[in-house]
Amino acid sequence: PVRDVISWNVLMSAYTKAKYDKEVLTCFEEMKSEHLTPDGGTFVYALKACGSMGAKDKGREFHDEISRRNLWKVDLLVGNALVDMYSKCNLLAKAQEVLKKLPARDTVSWNVLISGYVKQQHNEEALKCYEMMQLEEVCPDVVTFICCIKACTNIRAIDKGREIHADIARRRSFATNLTIGNALIDMYGKCGWLAKAQEVFDELRVRDIISWNAIIAGFARHGHLEEVMNYIEQMRHEGLQPDHCTF
């Protein structure tokens, strides 16, 4: 009989998780028609929907309303959602502009921009963001490292990749992360440093099909057939069967 902002937010949250983006925006409009004032959470869900749909014009409308109410200055989640929305809509200059204006930036702030740059193949810009993030003493996380390793892989920036690997090694909580390990194997393999790819592979405490495919791809790319066949046999010996990527 009565609905408040929280009622709408929990429904929008459910639609967001289920990736029903149009329904999220419909909820936003229906909520406004009931003369309810959206809060920070409402805008976060609405901006996520805009980013997923590439609805940049609608996203700009939300940005205007957020700016009028200064929400992005007091709610970092809203600021991060704006950066993420513009990144996903391929408006990277706008995303960077918003990030620079944030009164505070955290790991998520930088991650959404770095991720956007990597997806659009602006790899040098992604690595510059990583450096600026470090200057601000914001701690990287798994997402940061995965994106930056991918950027190094894309442009074969092996020296920068080694620096990032050294940073990972210093942060012991990430040193044994399987996803990071797999990304490093892929990077070293594609850059032609097969001994280093093998070293990272051997140091993994646990290996999955992605680990095996990354090391196999590295050796296959450079024509080392014997090593490829040996890895496939080792892989089977450990109980894993080759998949379509292996073949």
Side-chain angles (χ1 to χ4, degrees), residues 56-151:
K56 55 188 176 184
D57 292 333
K58 193 66 179 175
R60 284 194 181 105
E61 287 181 28
F62 292 137
H63 188 180
D64 289 341
E65 187 171 350
I66 289 165
S67 295
R68 283 194 297 271
R69 294 172 54 191
N70 283 327
L71 279 176
W72 61 274
K73 290 184 179 179
V74 296
D75 190 337
L76 182 56
L77 291 176
V78 175
N80 289 346
L82 276 170
V83 178
D84 187 46
M85 183 273 294
Y86 282 123
S87 294
K88 287 178 177 172
C89 290
N90 301 331
L91 298 171
L92 294 170
K94 190 67 177 176
Q96 188 172 37
E97 178 188 320
V98 173
L99 181 132
K100 286 181 177 179
K101 290 180 179 178
L102 292 179
R105 290 179 281 270
D106 63 3
T107 305
V108 175
S109 313
W110 286 105
N111 281 354
V112 291
L113 184 58
I114 290 171
S115 174
Y117 276 133
V118 174
K119 286 177 183 175
Q120 295 303 311
Q121 295 295 316
H122 298 298
N123 300 290
E124 291 87 352
E125 287 82 354
L127 296 174
K128 286 177 184 176
C129 284
Y130 177 72
E131 291 173 1
M132 288 188 284
M133 181 181 181
Q134 289 182 306
L135 289 174
E136 291 188 4
E137 298 183 348
V138 177
C139 290
D141 63 6
V142 171
V143 174
T144 320
F145 285 128
I146 293 297
C147 290
C148 290
I149 293 167
K150 180 69 174 174

Side-chain angles (χ1 to χ4, degrees), residues 154-173:
N154 289 342
I155 58 176
R156 304 299 190 261
I158 189 63
D159 291 336
K160 189 63 181 178
R162 289 174 64 191
E163 287 180 25
I164 293 170
H165 188 181
D167 195 13
I168 292 166
R170 285 192 294 271
R171 303 170 188 269
R172 296 188 180 277
S173 58

Side-chain angles (χ1 to χ4, degrees), residues 7 9 12 78 111 117 148 223 227 236:
S7 313
N9 281 358
M12 291 173 74
V78 175
N111 281 354
Y117 276 133
C148 290
E227 286 82 355
R236 285 176 166 146

Side-chain angles (χ1 to χ4, degrees), residues 193-212:
W193 196 354
L194 298 179
K196 193 65 177 176
Q198 187 169 17
E199 179 185 318
V200 175
F201 179 83
D202 291 340
E203 288 176 353
L204 290 179
R205 295 178 183 176
V206 178
R207 292 187 280 261
D208 61 7
I209 189 69
I210 298 171
S211 317
W212 287 99

